[in-house]
Amino acid sequence: MSKPKEVTIYDLARKLNVSIATVSRALKDDPVVSKKTKKKIFDLAEEMGYRYNHFARNLREQRTYTIGVIVPRLNSYFMSTVIAGIESVANNEGYTLIISQSSEDAGKEIASAKTMFNNRVDGMLVSLAYDTEEISHFDQFIKKNIPLIFFDRVSDHPECTSVLIDNRKGAYEATSHLIAQGCRRIVHLTATPKRNVYIDRLAGYKQALADHQIPFDEKYVLINNLSQEAGTQAAAAILQMNPLPDAIFAANDNCAVGCMLTLKKAGIRIPQDMAFAGFNNDPVSTVIEPNLTTINYPGYKMGEMSAASLINHLNGVNSIDTTNTILLRSELIIRASSLKTKSDSE
Amino acid sequence: MSKPKEVTIYDLARKLNVSIATVSRALKDDPVVSKKTKKKIFDLAEEMGYRYNHFARNLREQRTYTIGVIVPRLNSYFMSTVIAGIESVANNEGYTLIISQSSEDAGKEIASAKTMFNNRVDGMLVSLAYDTEEISHFDQFIKKNIPLIFFDRVSDHPECTSVLIDNRKGAYEATSHLIAQGCRRIVHLTATPKRNVYIDRLAGYKQALADHQIPFDEKYVLINNLSQEAGTQAAAAILQMNPLPDAIFAANDNCAVGCMLTLKKAGIRIPQDMAFAGFNNDPVSTVIEPNLTTINYPGYKMGEMSAASLINHLNGVNSIDTTNTILLRSELIIRASSLKTKSDSE
């Protein structure tokens, strides 16, 4: 497939009978060139399909105005909300995003990082895959002074900022609420404890038990990939427990919903027999019946905050070197799935 | 912020005491260079953080191995599924995606197209915003022989392929099914009739009515933005109708779900008083009670098919010039929200 010849500033200059320098200056909006001439040049550039030579410019300026974004999955409500937040800030500041998903796979994350590096992104925003064990694949950015910000699924790194919520506190509040409703045998559905978000939620769950003199029992922690289907499978395991648990705290709403649907079919009454709490405030939490108690998780805000920190750093407005962690607010939203108070008096 | 000096092939050559030509050939995997020497060069390149000079290469080859993707919204389950499909094919073929969302705004779509054009993408995959009236902002690509494929929200263009489902057929099947359940006053919730998907679904709805001798009534077509909140508002309008409709066919599942939740609160029994059908087979359709009858919409497949067509064209394997439209299969999934047969015998 042959491409038509690229329109150059020489073509514009020849056609308008002006110097190449004039065209070049006009395109840079140099005040030396009159407004009238500029307009003529802009109009012709538009008409002939002239493309500003970004690559050549980039080679000179060493900036690409591109931000690399690596997320675990694009088809999650939370993540697409974060990306919408990132994009809104990036677009306003003239940056283009290159987005890639690791599909929760460390190998793919490493490959994506390499691609982003070779594409010379100006900065990176990263949320880690489930199974990423170590993060040396990001050292190439650090070595080149390319700033990197972790969001949500973060890793402690002396030269990177992390933007996240206090997952431990969120989990502590959800678990304490279930305990306040009279629950004592609380199952925790969560993902592999390699990622901060799940480590911290498990820690918050344990702390709440300890603070209420409820012994921690390993068998109540069920590890899966937190999908809706995984929730369905977890329900089968829960139904085998003897005695049955009296509450479930899931590390995300989708998994909680899959679990609830299956338990309901098995005749379990929610919240009377088992109270439920999730995490994320996904829209599905207000569709499931009874509506799901959850932790409200500010995805859009997290995206905006991450992008703004990175771009401020790139523009020299505010360095991230001195900022280790930015914690966003989360909050417990209590709904019918956990409110046993009335049901108890039945 | 100063960047460390870029590592060049000169640095690699000096350090290994070999010629620059040898390094250059090794990096191109030229068989002239011995495996042993290549390994030494690759290892050092890795260690020193050498970056293949993509920009220089791109200037030479006139290819960027980048595909531009413009979607209306990232935070929709359907769209993020399509993107996952696009990405899986693109990554396998060595292409990077530049993703942008128009946020359903024609102006933003025009700006995104300009950015993609100036970034010299090799090809474009586009799904149009709600309010895009005409598509001359894509002419710049056509003029440069940069292939463009529309998916889902498409526009007829003699030089572009469209990948979509038969929306008319899907809507016809959903509406006919509601009629077969005995419904006669069927409300259609849909979006602005500027986009093919909504024009075609409306046409399918009308055709089904006509084929069953049910007169079309303009007042039964409610236009909104198809969000869950819009469904809530539509429910309020529906409750004002006299007589009440006996079925609702919504052009997406989210809007159907918002509408169902509100009607249920108002005491409407589903499906006995009003039967429901949606569109998309969003996961929420199996969470709402009763489960929502819907049209299964192959988002992942649509993404894979669009990306594969574009990349085959770019690689000269299969030209899109002769392909006008690729129609993917969709299917009606009947669930409890529309099954009145048993309820009717109450």
Side-chain angles (χ1 to χ4, degrees):
Chain A
M1 219 182 39
S2 75
K3 302 230 179 217
K5 204 167 157 294
E6 192 73 37
V7 176
T8 67
I9 59 169
Y10 300 93
D11 300 321
L12 301 176
R14 203 179 312 122
K15 202 130 185 181
L16 290 171
N17 205 17
V18 299
S19 75
I20 289 160
T22 300
V23 175
S24 169
R25 285 193 182 120
L27 291 174
K28 282 180 196 136
D29 208 21
D30 189 321
V32 166
V33 184
S34 76
K35 278 195 180 163
K36 204 179 135 198
T37 307
K38 261 183 210 161
K39 190 178 175 338
K40 272 202 289 186
I41 292 169
F42 284 144
D43 288 351
L44 183 66
E46 185 76 31
E47 185 194 324
M48 293 182 70
Y50 171 77
R51 301 197 282 187
Y52 297 91
N53 200 329
H54 272 213
F55 289 129
R57 191 195 75 188
N58 292 338
L59 276 173
R60 281 199 307 274
E61 290 188 9
Q62 296 279 339
R63 263 173 95 163
T64 59
Y65 295 94
T66 303
I67 294 173
V69 182
I70 302 180
V71 297
R73 287 185 299 131
L74 282 167
N75 55 352
S76 109
Y77 173 82
F78 171 72
M79 239 356 131
S80 53
T81 310
V82 175
I83 290 173
I86 291 173
E87 219 202 9
S88 105
V89 171
N91 278 4
N92 279 341
E93 299 287 335
Y95 282 81
T96 305
L97 303 186
I98 299 182
I99 302 173
S100 179
Q101 63 182 338
S102 64
S103 305
E104 303 287 11
D105 176 76
K108 204 155 168 264
E109 186 177 286
I110 291 168
S112 291
K114 192 78 199 161
T115 303
M116 303 269 177
F117 182 74
N118 284 330
N119 274 290
R120 295 174 185 242
V121 295
D122 288 344
M124 288 290 293
L125 297 171
V126 176
S127 191
L128 295 166
Y130 273 147
D131 69 346
T132 299
E133 298 265 6
E134 52 88 41
I135 56 163
S136 65
H137 45 297
F138 295 113
D139 288 351
Q140 52 196 335
F141 298 100
I142 311 301
K143 277 188 202 159
K144 289 274 175 198
N145 277 343
I146 298 167
L148 192 152
I149 290 181
F150 290 108
F151 62 92
D152 192 45
R153 309 252 206 100
V154 308
S155 185
D156 243 348
H157 192 291
E159 311 202 45
C160 301
T161 297
S162 293
V163 181
L164 72 166
I165 61 162
D166 188 337
N167 286 286
R168 188 186 170 103
K169 178 162 165 281
Y172 183 88
E173 287 175 359
T175 310
S176 298
H177 162 68
L178 292 171
I179 296 170
Q181 296 298 308
C183 304
R184 289 295 173 274
R185 298 182 305 282
I186 304 172
V187 163
H188 180 39
L189 304 181
T190 189
T192 168
K194 284 179 189 162
R195 288 277 69 75
N196 64 298
V197 290
Y198 307 113
I199 294 169
D200 292 351
R201 289 174 201 175
L202 178 60
Y205 160 81
K206 283 185 179 174
Q207 187 64 47
L209 296 181
D211 286 358
H212 295 85
Q213 290 78 48
I214 301 174
F216 169 71
D217 189 338
E218 196 73 56
K219 77 164 192 279
Y220 281 151
V221 178
L222 302 183
I223 308 275
N224 60 47
N225 71 3
L226 290 178
S227 65
Q228 195 171 316
E229 300 72 49
T232 304
Q233 287 156 22
I238 286 166
L239 289 167
Q240 298 301 315
M241 292 180 175
N242 187 3
L244 284 173
D246 53 15
I248 318 286
F249 165 46
N252 83 11
D253 291 338
N254 279 323
C255 185
V257 162
C259 191
M260 283 171 79
L261 290 173
T262 308
L263 290 175
K264 280 169 68 178
K265 270 186 204 142
I268 301 286
R269 297 173 308 159
I270 299 168
Q272 297 90 327
D273 302 333
M274 286 186 208
F276 258 86
F279 215 104
N280 283 3
N281 198 20
D282 188 289
V284 77
S285 64
T286 59
V287 175
I288 185 78
E289 293 181 28
N291 283 190
L292 182 60
T293 291
T294 189
I295 301 291
N296 187 36
Y297 207 158
Y300 193 86
K301 186 89 203 145
M302 186 175 283
E304 285 184 316
M305 187 62 89
S306 305
S309 300
L310 190 71
I311 291 172
N312 281 339
H313 178 88
L314 288 169
N315 292 343
V317 175
N318 222 330
S319 167
I320 58 171
D321 296 343
T322 52
T323 313
N324 184 49
T325 305
I326 297 172
L327 276 187
L328 301 179
R329 263 181 243 288
S330 64
E331 58 178 333
L332 175 67
I333 297 182
I334 298 172
R335 300 201 181 104
S337 73
S338 64
L339 267 186
K340 293 181 84 158
T341 329
K342 277 185 190 167
S343 320
D344 280 346
S345 61
E346 281 180 333
Chain B
M1 219 182 40
S2 75
K3 302 234 178 212
K5 205 168 156 294
E6 192 73 35
V7 175
T8 67
I9 60 169
Y10 300 91
D11 301 321
L12 300 177
R14 201 180 312 123
K15 203 130 186 182
L16 290 171
N17 204 18
V18 297
S19 74
I20 288 160
T22 301
V23 175
S24 169
R25 286 191 182 121
L27 292 174
K28 284 180 195 138
D29 208 22
D30 188 321
V32 165
V33 184
S34 76
K35 280 196 179 162
K36 202 179 138 198
T37 307
K38 262 183 211 161
K39 188 177 175 337
K40 272 202 290 187
I41 291 170
F42 285 142
D43 288 351
L44 183 66
E46 185 75 32
E47 185 194 322
M48 292 181 71
Y50 171 77
R51 301 197 282 186
Y52 297 90
N53 201 329
H54 273 214
F55 289 128
R57 191 195 74 188
N58 291 338
L59 276 174
R60 279 199 308 275
E61 292 187 8
Q62 296 279 338
R63 263 172 97 163
T64 59
Y65 295 94
T66 303
I67 294 173
V69 182
I70 303 180
V71 297
R73 287 185 298 131
L74 282 167
N75 55 351
S76 109
Y77 172 82
F78 171 72
M79 236 2 128
S80 55
T81 310
V82 175
I83 290 173
I86 292 173
E87 219 202 10
S88 105
V89 171
N91 278 5
N92 279 341
E93 299 287 334
Y95 282 81
T96 306
L97 304 186
I98 300 182
I99 302 173
S100 180
Q101 63 183 340
S102 63
S103 306
E104 303 286 10
D105 176 73
K108 202 154 169 265
E109 186 177 285
I110 292 168
S112 290
K114 192 78 200 160
T115 304
M116 302 269 176
F117 182 74
N118 283 330
N119 274 289
R120 296 175 184 239
V121 293
D122 289 343
M124 288 289 293
L125 297 171
V126 176
S127 191
L128 295 166
Y130 274 147
D131 69 346
T132 299
E133 298 266 6
E134 51 90 40
I135 56 163
S136 65
H137 46 297
F138 295 114
D139 288 352
Q140 53 194 335
F141 298 101
I142 311 301
K143 277 189 202 157
K144 288 275 176 198
N145 277 345
I146 298 166
L148 192 152
I149 290 181
F150 290 109
F151 61 93
D152 192 45
R153 310 252 206 102
V154 307
S155 185
D156 243 348
H157 192 292
E159 311 203 44
C160 301
T161 297
S162 292
V163 181
L164 72 166
I165 61 162
D166 188 338
N167 286 285
R168 187 186 170 104
K169 179 162 165 279
Y172 182 88
E173 287 175 357
T175 310
S176 298
H177 163 68
L178 293 170
I179 295 170
Q181 296 297 308
C183 304
R184 290 294 174 273
R185 297 182 306 281
I186 304 172
V187 164
H188 181 38
L189 304 181
T190 189
T192 169
K194 283 180 192 163
R195 289 278 68 75
N196 65 297
V197 292
Y198 306 114
I199 294 169
D200 292 351
R201 289 174 202 173
L202 179 59
Y205 160 81
K206 282 185 180 176
Q207 186 64 48
L209 295 181
D211 286 358
H212 295 85
Q213 289 79 45
I214 301 175
F216 170 70
D217 190 338
E218 196 74 55
K219 77 163 191 281
Y220 281 153
V221 177
L222 303 183
I223 308 275
N224 59 46
N225 71 3
L226 291 178
S227 66
Q228 195 170 316
E229 300 72 49
T232 304
Q233 286 155 22
I238 287 165
L239 288 168
Q240 298 302 315
M241 292 181 177
N242 187 3
L244 284 174
D246 53 15
I248 318 286
F249 165 46
N252 84 11
D253 291 339
N254 280 323
C255 185
V257 162
C259 191
M260 285 172 78
L261 290 172
T262 308
L263 290 175
K264 280 169 68 179
K265 269 185 205 144
I268 302 286
R269 296 173 309 158
I270 298 167
Q272 296 91 327
D273 302 332
M274 284 186 208
F276 258 84
F279 215 105
N280 283 4
N281 199 21
D282 189 288
V284 77
S285 64
T286 59
V287 175
I288 184 78
E289 294 184 26
N291 283 190
L292 182 60
T293 291
T294 190
I295 301 291
N296 187 35
Y297 208 156
Y300 193 85
K301 186 87 202 148
M302 187 175 283
E304 285 184 316
M305 186 63 86
S306 307
S309 300
L310 190 71
I311 291 172
N312 280 339
H313 178 88
L314 289 168
N315 292 343
V317 175
N318 224 329
S319 168
I320 57 171
D321 295 341
T322 52
T323 313
N324 184 49
T325 304
I326 297 172
L327 277 187
L328 301 179
R329 265 181 242 289
S330 64
E331 57 178 334
L332 175 67
I333 298 181
I334 298 171
R335 300 200 182 105
S337 73
S338 65
L339 267 185
K340 293 180 82 157
T341 328
K342 276 185 190 167
S343 318
D344 281 344
S345 61
E346 279 180 335

